[in-house]
Amino acid sequence: MTGSHSHTDLPILIVEDDAAILELLEEELQETGYQTLGVGSAEEAVVTLSHSEVALVISDVRLPGMNGMQLLEQLRHEGSRLGFIIITAFGTIDQAVEALKIGADDFLTKPLDLESVGEAVFRVLENRRLAERLHQDEPTGHFHGIVGESETMQALFHDAARLAKSDAPILILGESGTGKELLARAIHAESPRSDKPFVAINCASIPSELMESEFFGHVKGAFTGASDSRQGLFQAANGGSLFLDEIGEMSPGLQAKLLRALQEKTIKAVGAEREEAVDVRIIAATHRDLEQEIEEGNFRSDLFYRLETFSLRIPPLRERQGDIERLISAMIEKHAGAQDKSIERIEPLALQTLLDYPYPGNVRELENAVMRAVTLTEDGVLSHTDLPERIRQHGLDQRGTRQVETGKSLVTSGQQNWPSLEEVEKRYIQKVLEATGGNKRRTADILGIARRTLYRRLEEE
């Protein structure tokens, strides 16, 4: 496959020697809006794949001649990343597990549930789209390394680029783990100061008694232990940008001196007699509610208003649902590259679990989870079992029933734990709605139901 087509532009190849089942599958998928190609054997499938591009393959295991498992093995041996769904007789779970181990994306059991077919196809195509992104050179939707295609992030990038051109101080607000330092670095990179130093300091990490010396430097003999004169952060960042992370942790006394430095563009080293001029652009950040801190007497209102004129808020990850898949893709690529690993795909269950998790720790928590999974995986497939326990645990339904997990299979202890048909239907409707950008007319067409039926289903949720 090339990246020149989207998956839905390409037909789905169905390999099934039972003419009635083949016709049934073709009709179902065509009604859902897909193109199809049908063949009766694996050998015909090989010939078809040699001269036609397809979106994915759905193949029965039992076929005349080469069977579906051998077809899958041949494709994977040739390095094909083509999506592949296996159809197996009900009860042959061992066979399904084996198919998943050798590279199938999902399996369907006979007798076929046609709605499950539609959901499996949609899920695998989404997963393949992510896999293709892993092999692209430069993903779009970046702002100096920050990933974000959602409206809120695009608006943030636009505002950050505009503010970067000025010298005014900037205040970045956002929960822990949202990427405040990354945004500060992006603003510096976008600014006329990009060729000058970017100096970052976490105010929470400096003992209060050393803060003034750290920020403004000190002269020799200024205090016990000051055996030499030393530059501070302001001098180190001269001409560039100084990033003050967690500024809410700064002592009120130092806040006053910072305000003076902002207003006068001068600083005074500890123990020095004279002030010196500095040219530093301040970018501050906090996860605290500074107005609340002002009320409690912990933060100076005059410094807050000086900083707050140009403030940017990074949304938490739970407000950026549309970005999570793209972030996963970028993070897999980053950490696989760092570890010199080849990651070919991510299990549908692992992807869905990552997409469903609420991420109280935001982007940092997501990145830690992906890095862990990349580190643990040994076969080029990120699986559900590679994810942190708390994220897997969140994937359990409210009844406490364990979802799926035995190695890389979709079974547990030989017993299948499928979601109810109602749950699958709700998820599928939401997926199609997302894919159509919320277009209910198009969604109803794809689902093959009347719009009034779609509205009723949505009201029931």
Short mmCIF file of all heavy atoms in Angstrom, two decimals, residues 24-45:
data_model
loop_
_atom_site.label_atom_id
_atom_site.label_comp_id
_atom_site.label_asym_id
_atom_site.label_seq_id
_atom_site.Cartn_x
_atom_site.Cartn_y
_atom_site.Cartn_z
N LEU A 24 -22.87 -12.24 1.39
CA LEU A 24 -23.39 -11.56 2.58
C LEU A 24 -22.42 -10.46 3.06
O LEU A 24 -22.82 -9.33 3.34
CB LEU A 24 -23.61 -12.59 3.69
CG LEU A 24 -24.37 -12.13 4.94
CD1 LEU A 24 -25.83 -11.85 4.60
CD2 LEU A 24 -24.27 -13.19 6.03
N LEU A 25 -21.13 -10.81 3.15
CA LEU A 25 -20.11 -9.86 3.60
C LEU A 25 -19.99 -8.69 2.63
O LEU A 25 -19.88 -7.53 3.04
CB LEU A 25 -18.76 -10.56 3.76
CG LEU A 25 -18.59 -11.42 5.01
CD1 LEU A 25 -17.33 -12.27 4.91
CD2 LEU A 25 -18.53 -10.55 6.27
N GLU A 26 -19.99 -9.00 1.34
CA GLU A 26 -19.87 -7.93 0.34
C GLU A 26 -21.06 -6.97 0.43
O GLU A 26 -20.89 -5.74 0.41
CB GLU A 26 -19.77 -8.52 -1.07
CG GLU A 26 -18.43 -9.19 -1.33
CD GLU A 26 -18.04 -9.14 -2.81
OE1 GLU A 26 -17.45 -8.15 -3.23
OE2 GLU A 26 -18.34 -10.13 -3.52
N GLU A 27 -22.25 -7.52 0.55
CA GLU A 27 -23.44 -6.67 0.65
C GLU A 27 -23.38 -5.77 1.89
O GLU A 27 -23.66 -4.58 1.83
CB GLU A 27 -24.71 -7.54 0.70
CG GLU A 27 -25.18 -8.02 -0.64
CD GLU A 27 -26.46 -8.84 -0.55
OE1 GLU A 27 -27.04 -8.91 0.56
OE2 GLU A 27 -26.88 -9.43 -1.57
N GLU A 28 -23.01 -6.38 3.03
CA GLU A 28 -22.96 -5.63 4.28
C GLU A 28 -21.97 -4.47 4.19
O GLU A 28 -22.27 -3.34 4.58
CB GLU A 28 -22.57 -6.57 5.42
CG GLU A 28 -22.39 -5.89 6.77
CD GLU A 28 -23.68 -5.31 7.35
OE1 GLU A 28 -24.78 -5.73 6.93
OE2 GLU A 28 -23.58 -4.42 8.22
N LEU A 29 -20.78 -4.74 3.69
CA LEU A 29 -19.74 -3.71 3.64
C LEU A 29 -20.07 -2.64 2.60
O LEU A 29 -19.81 -1.46 2.81
CB LEU A 29 -18.37 -4.34 3.37
CG LEU A 29 -17.83 -5.18 4.54
CD1 LEU A 29 -16.59 -5.95 4.13
CD2 LEU A 29 -17.53 -4.30 5.75
N GLN A 30 -20.66 -3.07 1.48
CA GLN A 30 -21.04 -2.08 0.45
C GLN A 30 -22.13 -1.15 0.96
O GLN A 30 -22.11 0.05 0.71
CB GLN A 30 -21.49 -2.81 -0.82
CG GLN A 30 -20.33 -3.41 -1.61
CD GLN A 30 -20.79 -4.37 -2.70
OE1 GLN A 30 -21.98 -4.46 -3.03
NE2 GLN A 30 -19.85 -5.13 -3.26
N GLU A 31 -23.07 -1.70 1.74
CA GLU A 31 -24.13 -0.87 2.31
C GLU A 31 -23.56 0.12 3.31
O GLU A 31 -24.12 1.19 3.54
CB GLU A 31 -25.18 -1.76 3.00
CG GLU A 31 -26.14 -2.42 2.02
CD GLU A 31 -27.16 -3.30 2.74
OE1 GLU A 31 -27.26 -3.21 3.98
OE2 GLU A 31 -27.84 -4.08 2.05
N THR A 32 -22.43 -0.23 3.94
CA THR A 32 -21.80 0.65 4.91
C THR A 32 -20.91 1.69 4.23
O THR A 32 -20.34 2.54 4.88
CB THR A 32 -20.96 -0.18 5.92
OG1 THR A 32 -21.74 -1.30 6.33
CG2 THR A 32 -20.58 0.61 7.14
N GLY A 33 -20.78 1.59 2.90
CA GLY A 33 -20.03 2.62 2.17
C GLY A 33 -18.66 2.19 1.68
O GLY A 33 -17.91 2.99 1.14
N TYR A 34 -18.30 0.89 1.86
CA TYR A 34 -16.99 0.42 1.40
C TYR A 34 -17.11 -0.22 0.02
O TYR A 34 -18.15 -0.75 -0.35
CB TYR A 34 -16.43 -0.63 2.37
CG TYR A 34 -16.15 -0.11 3.76
CD1 TYR A 34 -16.95 -0.49 4.84
CD2 TYR A 34 -15.08 0.74 4.01
CE1 TYR A 34 -16.70 -0.03 6.13
CE2 TYR A 34 -14.81 1.21 5.28
CZ TYR A 34 -15.63 0.83 6.34
OH TYR A 34 -15.38 1.30 7.61
N GLN A 35 -16.00 -0.19 -0.71
CA GLN A 35 -15.89 -0.98 -1.94
C GLN A 35 -15.34 -2.35 -1.53
O GLN A 35 -14.62 -2.47 -0.55
CB GLN A 35 -14.92 -0.33 -2.92
CG GLN A 35 -15.31 1.07 -3.37
CD GLN A 35 -14.23 1.66 -4.24
OE1 GLN A 35 -13.87 1.11 -5.28
NE2 GLN A 35 -13.67 2.80 -3.82
N THR A 36 -15.67 -3.38 -2.31
CA THR A 36 -15.18 -4.73 -1.97
C THR A 36 -14.67 -5.45 -3.21
O THR A 36 -15.07 -5.15 -4.34
CB THR A 36 -16.30 -5.58 -1.34
OG1 THR A 36 -17.36 -5.73 -2.28
CG2 THR A 36 -16.82 -4.96 -0.05
N LEU A 37 -13.79 -6.40 -2.96
CA LEU A 37 -13.36 -7.38 -3.96
C LEU A 37 -13.53 -8.75 -3.32
O LEU A 37 -13.12 -8.94 -2.17
CB LEU A 37 -11.88 -7.18 -4.33
CG LEU A 37 -11.48 -5.94 -5.14
CD1 LEU A 37 -9.97 -5.82 -5.20
CD2 LEU A 37 -12.06 -6.03 -6.55
N GLY A 38 -14.14 -9.69 -4.01
CA GLY A 38 -14.35 -11.02 -3.44
C GLY A 38 -13.63 -12.10 -4.22
O GLY A 38 -13.69 -12.11 -5.45
N VAL A 39 -12.92 -12.98 -3.52
CA VAL A 39 -12.26 -14.13 -4.16
C VAL A 39 -12.53 -15.38 -3.34
O VAL A 39 -12.85 -15.30 -2.15
CB VAL A 39 -10.73 -13.91 -4.32
CG1 VAL A 39 -10.43 -12.75 -5.26
CG2 VAL A 39 -10.06 -13.68 -2.96
N GLY A 40 -12.37 -16.56 -3.98
CA GLY A 40 -12.73 -17.81 -3.31
C GLY A 40 -11.56 -18.58 -2.75
O GLY A 40 -11.76 -19.65 -2.15
N SER A 41 -10.33 -18.07 -2.94
CA SER A 41 -9.18 -18.83 -2.42
C SER A 41 -8.03 -17.87 -2.09
O SER A 41 -7.98 -16.74 -2.58
CB SER A 41 -8.69 -19.85 -3.46
OG SER A 41 -8.09 -19.17 -4.56
N ALA A 42 -7.10 -18.38 -1.27
CA ALA A 42 -5.92 -17.58 -0.90
C ALA A 42 -5.05 -17.33 -2.13
O ALA A 42 -4.43 -16.27 -2.27
CB ALA A 42 -5.13 -18.29 0.19
N GLU A 43 -4.98 -18.34 -3.02
CA GLU A 43 -4.17 -18.18 -4.24
C GLU A 43 -4.70 -17.04 -5.10
O GLU A 43 -3.92 -16.22 -5.63
CB GLU A 43 -4.17 -19.49 -5.05
CG GLU A 43 -3.36 -20.62 -4.42
CD GLU A 43 -4.07 -21.34 -3.26
OE1 GLU A 43 -5.27 -21.04 -3.01
OE2 GLU A 43 -3.42 -22.16 -2.61
N GLU A 44 -6.03 -16.95 -5.23
CA GLU A 44 -6.62 -15.83 -5.97
C GLU A 44 -6.33 -14.50 -5.26
O GLU A 44 -6.11 -13.47 -5.91
CB GLU A 44 -8.14 -16.02 -6.09
CG GLU A 44 -8.59 -17.09 -7.06
CD GLU A 44 -10.11 -17.21 -7.04
OE1 GLU A 44 -10.76 -16.41 -7.73
OE2 GLU A 44 -10.63 -18.08 -6.30
N ALA A 45 -6.33 -14.55 -3.93
CA ALA A 45 -6.04 -13.33 -3.15
C ALA A 45 -4.63 -12.83 -3.44
O ALA A 45 -4.42 -11.62 -3.61
CB ALA A 45 -6.21 -13.61 -1.66
#
